[in-house]
Amino acid sequence: MERQQFTETVNERTDADLEGEAVTDTVRAVLSTLGERLSDDQARDLAAQLPGDLGSPLTEGESGQRFSEEEFVARVDQRLETTDVTGQQAATAVMGTLLEAVDAEERAAVVDQFEHYGFEELLSETEADVDVTDRSPRER
């Protein structure tokens, strides 16, 4: 997925008709927060699969932090510079687009980690179609 397609898809999913920097800000807010939640290795692997500079927020902060799904959304909300989108809208729009943009292996790894962290509600609100039950326990 190209950078422009990524940001256009996020914009469509927010239903807010954001423009330019507001879409970039929304993507950055979610990916920065995601990067804080994932391990350093996971964040780097995921960033490498995103187009252009979209992946850089994943690796800029302190990785491996432990916080709840509610805290994830709250952190996204705090980072948003636009009032047209809530943290929940931003998180589901960006996560759904992110999961479509990466390969199946990386997608499964992210979904598996989010399920492990207890982020099932956030995942269920995305349009992600990933079944991690087909993988062996060693792959999880």
Side-chain angles (χ1 to χ4, degrees):
M1 182 180 291
E2 297 296 321
R3 186 183 202 288
Q4 182 175 349
Q5 182 183 3
F6 190 99
T7 56
E8 286 174 0
T9 302
V10 167
N11 193 21
E12 289 170 12
R13 288 184 172 160
T14 62
D15 291 327
D17 198 26
L18 302 173
E19 294 186 23
E21 284 300 311
V23 178
T24 303
D25 170 57
T26 300
V27 171
R28 177 173 278 287
V30 176
L31 295 182
S32 295
T33 307
L34 179 60
E36 290 173 348
R37 189 63 179 93
L38 297 174
S39 72
D40 189 46
D41 289 342
Q42 290 169 325
R44 277 197 315 269
D45 290 348
L46 194 57
Q49 291 200 19
L50 294 178
D53 63 344
L54 281 180
S56 62
L58 284 163
T59 59
E60 292 174 348
E62 180 186 334
S63 61
Q65 297 178 40
R66 300 293 178 231
F67 48 84
S68 68
E69 181 175 3
E70 293 79 19
E71 177 66 16
F72 183 91
V73 172
R75 287 182 185 206
V76 170
D77 222 1
Q78 289 173 348
R79 286 188 163 108
L80 287 172
E81 294 179 14
T82 179
T83 57
D84 296 332
V85 177
T86 66
Q88 187 71 39
Q89 287 174 303
T92 57
V94 174
M95 287 299 298
T97 306
L98 171 76
L99 292 171
E100 290 174 359
V102 299
D103 66 32
E105 183 178 332
E106 195 62 37
R107 182 172 40 250
V110 171
V111 168
D112 189 44
Q113 287 300 309
F114 264 52
E115 287 177 341
H116 177 74
Y117 299 151
F119 286 32
E120 289 88 0
E121 186 175 331
L122 177 62
L123 285 173
S124 71
E125 292 176 7
T126 69
E127 296 174 9
D129 183 25
V130 179
D131 182 12
V132 294
T133 59
D134 290 340
R135 295 184 302 140
S136 71
R138 176 181 280 153
E139 294 174 300
R140 290 181 173 191

